Amino acid sequence: ETNLSENLPLKGKKVLITAGPTYEAIDPVRFIGNFSTGKMGIAIANEAVKQGAEVHLVLGPSAEKNIDENIHLHRVVSADDMYQAAINQFDTSDIAILSAAVADYTPKIKALEKIKKKEANLTLELVSTTDILATLGKQKKQQILIGFALETNNELENAKHKLNRKNLDGIVLNSLKDKGAGFGTDTNKITFITPENEISFPLKNKTEVAKDILAQILKLQK
Ligand code: CTP
Ligand code: CA
């Protein structure tokens, strides 16, 4: 798909992307995770490289194989690992797109030995993880900062609230209500929301959705 007249709108730009789930260890053999595959974030990373960007992809445990070899890949496991890797790249980034499904809670105690089966009930105490996106929102200088919102109800209202609360330039609302959208599918239906306006796109494959998202971000260049 190389084309001599292909334009490279992201040439000279450093783009940080987080993607995939995180795994929070309970003991050496168990974790708390989620159903994210990382496909949407990886599609954005692949497309950003094609458009000439230097891409740093901070990727949680994902089985996805289709990752462009020109991407700087930072593989992580937990929310805390993802936080460290993202912070390390943020200062020098021009654009940051945080699409990862980060665990909001992690076990307070990560048992050093396998937890044995004992009583009928087991209670795990969980503590909050750091909100990576909100932290970057506080540190933001030149960067264009984009978040994702996965909502099941009051979608627009909840997404706009996240946009404001986390000091973002844009947020991609991902609707789980739409058939063929969200986790594990090859298609997605999004609304791109900025403080000024919102634009809804039809159901498309994730590569096309990635192109739409990057085109909207380019319009926000400061
Ligand atoms: N996010 C993050 N770090 C976290 C939690 C979320 O960077 N610890 C980011 C996600 O990558 C996404 C955005 O914040 O870009 C919104 O995530 P979401 O789970 O929809 O929102 P939360 O703020 O965690 O709120 P809730 O889960 O209660 O809806
Ligand atoms: Ca969350």
Side-chain angles (χ1 to χ4, degrees), residues 149-163:
L150 185 68
E151 308 291 347
T152 57
N153 64 308
N154 295 332
E155 305 183 307
L156 220 45
E157 193 189 323
N158 286 341
K160 284 179 179 168
H161 183 66
K162 280 176 190 165
L163 177 80

Side-chain angles (χ1 to χ4, degrees), residues 101-104 131 162 166:
V102 187
D104 292 329
D131 191 319
K162 280 176 190 165
K166 302 194 190 196

Side-chain angles (χ1 to χ4, degrees), residues 166-191:
K166 302 194 190 196
N167 191 28
L168 310 180
D169 300 290
I171 193 159
V172 179
L173 169 61
N174 225 319
S175 177
L176 273 186
K177 269 193 217 146
D178 294 288
K179 213 162 168 260
F183 285 175
T185 64
D186 290 320
T187 53
N188 211 356
K189 189 177 178 335
I190 61 143
T191 302

Side-chain angles (χ1 to χ4, degrees), residues 98 100 102 104 129-133 147-150 162 165-166:
L98 273 60
V102 187
D104 292 329
T129 57
T130 305
D131 191 319
I132 304 165
L133 183 57
F148 270 67
L150 185 68
K162 280 176 190 165
R165 187 167 59 81
K166 302 194 190 196

Side-chain angles (χ1 to χ4, degrees), residues 56-69:
H56 290 258
L57 175 62
V58 178
L59 182 63
S62 163
E64 191 59 34
K65 294 281 179 291
N66 169 31
I67 301 172
D68 191 298
E69 61 183 15

Side-chain angles (χ1 to χ4, degrees), residues 18-26 30-36 58-61 76-83 98-108 110 125-135 150 162 166 183:
T18 70
T22 65
Y23 287 179
E24 306 304 316
I26 296 169
R30 304 184 179 99
F31 62 85
I32 298 172
N34 61 67
F35 292 120
S36 169
V58 178
L59 182 63
V76 297
V77 176
S78 68
D80 190 52
D81 298 341
M82 186 173 277
Y83 172 73
L98 273 60
S99 72
V102 187
D104 292 329
Y105 296 94
T106 193
K108 184 175 183 184
K110 289 148 179 60
E125 188 174 355
L126 305 179
V127 294
S128 296
T129 57
T130 305
D131 191 319
I132 304 165
L133 183 57
T135 306
L150 185 68
K162 280 176 190 165
K166 302 194 190 196
F183 285 175

